[in-house]
Amino acid sequence: MIKGEFAVPSLGALADEVAAVLAGRHDPGVVPFERVLNAVVSHDFRDRRALTAALGSVPREFKVKPHAQVRCTADIVGAAVGPVRAEESWEKKAGAGWLELCQHVALDYIAGARTSEVAARLRAGDPVPFLLSVPSGPTGAVEPYELVERLAEYERLGVRPGPADLGQALLRCGGRIDPEVVRAAEGLEMAEGPRVAAWLRQGGLPRPAWWREREAGEAERPSRRRGARIGRRILVGHEAIEGRGAFPRQFWSLFRMFEPSISCPHWSLPDYRDAHTVATLPWHPETAAARLLTGVASAADQDGCGSPAFLEALASADGPAGPAVHLAVAYGLAAVPEPEREAAGRALAVLASRGRLDGELLGGELTELVGLGTLRVPLLTESLRAAVAVPEGAGAVWAVLATALPGLLARTRPQLHGALLAVAADSARLSGARGELPEVTALAQRPGSSQLLRQARRLRDALAGV
């Protein structure tokens, strides 16, 4: 039923994979985590005693705080190999003690609801043959026809779907859905059949109306105070989304109107900004980007923690890239941590290679953020220079600079222009770009031999095909 890279391994192989995940502090990645999670569930359904024998001796203690998915794996394994408490209601246990604190971490609430439900069901001794929400690919997306096949197997076995597991599976469905798949869902006899069919018929989660807003106030003077911000951010919010009522309460934060300027302490926690967050809603990377944009921005204007995996996952997601995704890349390109800048460069190239890059949009955002004092041009220039060397990078960089360059030349110190024009000239030459930028032509016509003028002439000649 579950195929490819998410297929259930043998017990021996699973023990090795679990040990490898639990031995590391860092993010195991979407594919290893989801494969292990589903494999533990599947082997528990087949033979809990054999699973306990295979995994019971795997260490589950940590000397230092591990990544959230590592800790989650330990909890799931502990639930699978521990004593069965059949008297407990897994439905009540799964949602016990949950309290909505912040909309920024709405996708983490969804992921947590699913894993809590899985753990509660394992402890209660109510196994399922596999998880409905196992991804069909590395982005986290679930193919609609696979979901219907999985539900049909549940129906055949008389297994009740977990509300959070089914909810996560539905959120992972999207794109163009074959009418044949909808008809197959309509043929399900289980109670959840009509809901699944209606969800697939409408194409998955509706896309909300978005808005873009700039933080109030003017850019402040530079400060040496630790953690001080000198610029103003641009953020993205969205209207409420219909359809929350059929989902568990932990999912409801996703459906509420998101107001980006509401502050909270969660933005500073890097575990919320990773590929797992995007994989929770792979057809809607805008939602993940918008809700965690303040954290991404902190790496640029507050020397905060970076989120390289998050940026690359946004670019690789299945859904469309809009203003929030492009803003996330913009902040990443001028982030202080080098891994963040490198990841933003790769994300830029991936967006271009998949036809999802809006160079005009990203160029305009970069120009405005530099003007607001939020992004630093030397770091941006360094990132774009590195991105030119990445496959598809030269064309992507030029697509951005073609819009951004005139504004950056007008709003920044002349001492920075030579290096920026050198990157522009390289990207234009390597991508075969043609055209003319009046601001560059005017610079190139000035007398002199400074780096600024030499690079302006290089860019002018590259655009002219000389």
Side-chain angles (χ1 to χ4, degrees):
M1 184 63 64
I2 308 297
K3 305 174 184 177
E5 56 195 336
F6 295 95
V8 177
S10 66
L11 271 176
L14 174 60
D16 292 340
E17 288 191 37
V18 169
V21 170
L22 297 185
R25 287 180 56 195
H26 303 293
D27 183 1
V30 171
V31 173
F33 172 72
E34 293 283 352
R35 181 173 59 235
V36 164
L37 190 67
N38 180 65
V40 170
V41 169
S42 296
H43 279 292
D44 179 81
F45 183 83
R46 298 172 188 175
D47 191 339
R48 187 177 180 113
R49 288 186 179 180
L51 178 66
T52 300
L55 301 185
S57 60
V58 177
R60 300 194 303 277
E61 300 297 326
F62 306 100
K63 295 181 179 179
V64 293
K65 183 179 178 181
H67 187 275
Q69 265 61 41
V70 177
R71 170 61 68 185
C72 178
T73 302
D75 292 343
I76 294 296
V77 171
V81 303
V84 173
R85 300 183 177 89
E87 70 282 0
E88 295 185 357
S89 168
W90 61 265
E91 292 97 335
K92 293 182 180 178
K93 273 286 184 182
W98 179 79
L99 178 66
E100 180 181 10
L101 297 175
C102 170
Q103 283 188 276
H104 291 92
V105 291
L107 297 186
D108 187 70
Y109 291 151
I110 292 170
R114 180 183 65 143
T115 52
S116 294
E117 179 182 272
V118 170
R121 200 159 188 174
L122 289 170
R123 291 191 184 95
D126 186 8
V128 295
F130 44 77
L131 295 178
L132 298 171
S133 56
V134 182
S136 302
T139 64
V142 172
E143 291 292 342
Y145 73 89
E146 290 190 19
L147 174 58
V148 175
E149 287 180 347
R150 294 170 190 175
L151 287 167
E153 182 65 7
Y154 266 45
E155 188 172 85
R156 187 184 71 80
L157 295 171
V159 176
R160 178 191 167 195
D165 183 33
L166 176 58
Q168 172 65 101
L170 291 174
L171 292 179
R172 284 178 164 172
C173 289
R176 299 185 64 180
I177 298 177
D178 192 327
E180 288 293 329
V181 176
V182 176
R183 282 191 282 273
E186 291 170 343
L188 294 170
E189 296 181 1
M190 61 171 54
E192 294 80 3
R195 174 194 173 195
V196 172
W199 183 263
L200 298 180
R201 192 181 302 114
Q202 74 177 17
L205 185 72
R207 300 194 185 281
W210 299 89
W211 74 83
R212 174 184 176 277
E213 67 181 50
R214 202 201 86 177
E215 285 185 323
E218 298 301 320
E220 301 171 6
R221 295 177 61 83
S223 171
R224 293 182 180 274
R225 290 184 294 113
R226 180 178 177 81
R229 282 202 290 126
I230 63 172
R232 285 293 179 266
R233 295 169 178 169
I234 300 171
L235 303 172
V236 174
H238 69 75
E239 299 291 349
I241 305 172
E242 294 183 1
R244 78 175 190 181
F247 289 86
R249 287 185 64 252
Q250 296 97 315
F251 287 54
W252 288 6
S253 286
L254 168 66
F255 293 83
R256 301 188 199 283
M257 181 176 72
F258 175 62
E259 299 176 84
S261 294
I262 295 178
S263 63
C264 75
H266 291 100
W267 63 265
S268 62
L269 301 178
D271 273 2
Y272 292 116
R273 302 192 308 273
D274 55 26
H276 302 275
T277 309
V278 182
T280 301
L281 204 61
W283 288 98
H284 295 260
E286 279 292 290
T287 298
R291 289 171 184 263
L292 295 172
L293 205 51
T294 51
V296 178
S298 73
D301 62 13
Q302 277 187 301
D303 299 352
C305 296
S307 46
F310 180 67
L311 292 177
E312 293 190 68
L314 288 177
S316 302
D318 299 282
V325 170
H326 283 77
L327 275 167
V329 174
Y331 289 120
L333 287 171
V336 175
E338 185 175 358
E340 181 93 344
R341 296 198 304 273
E342 293 174 348
R346 292 191 294 272
L348 178 65
V350 169
L351 287 173
S353 69
R354 301 183 65 192
R356 299 168 66 226
L357 173 66
D358 186 333
E360 186 175 347
L361 172 61
L362 181 53
E365 300 291 17
L366 288 172
T367 302
E368 186 168 355
L369 288 168
V370 166
L372 291 172
T374 308
L375 303 187
R376 308 172 203 181
V377 175
L379 292 176
L380 174 61
T381 301
E382 183 181 326
S383 296
L384 294 177
R385 182 185 297 113
V388 169
V390 176
E392 304 283 346
V397 170
W398 177 249
V400 173
L401 285 180
T403 295
L405 199 56
L408 292 177
L409 292 176
R411 299 187 187 193
T412 56
R413 292 178 287 118
Q415 296 92 321
L416 304 175
H417 296 170
L420 188 62
L421 285 169
V423 173
D426 290 340
S427 65
R429 177 178 57 83
L430 292 171
S431 64
R434 296 291 182 269
E436 181 185 10
L437 293 179
E439 297 83 356
V440 173
T441 301
L443 269 179
Q445 292 173 345
R446 292 183 187 177
S449 58
S450 66
Q451 182 195 20
L452 170 64
L453 299 180
R454 290 199 309 272
Q455 298 304 332
R457 291 165 191 153
R458 279 188 64 224
L459 177 54
R460 177 199 60 187
D461 293 345
L463 292 175
V466 177

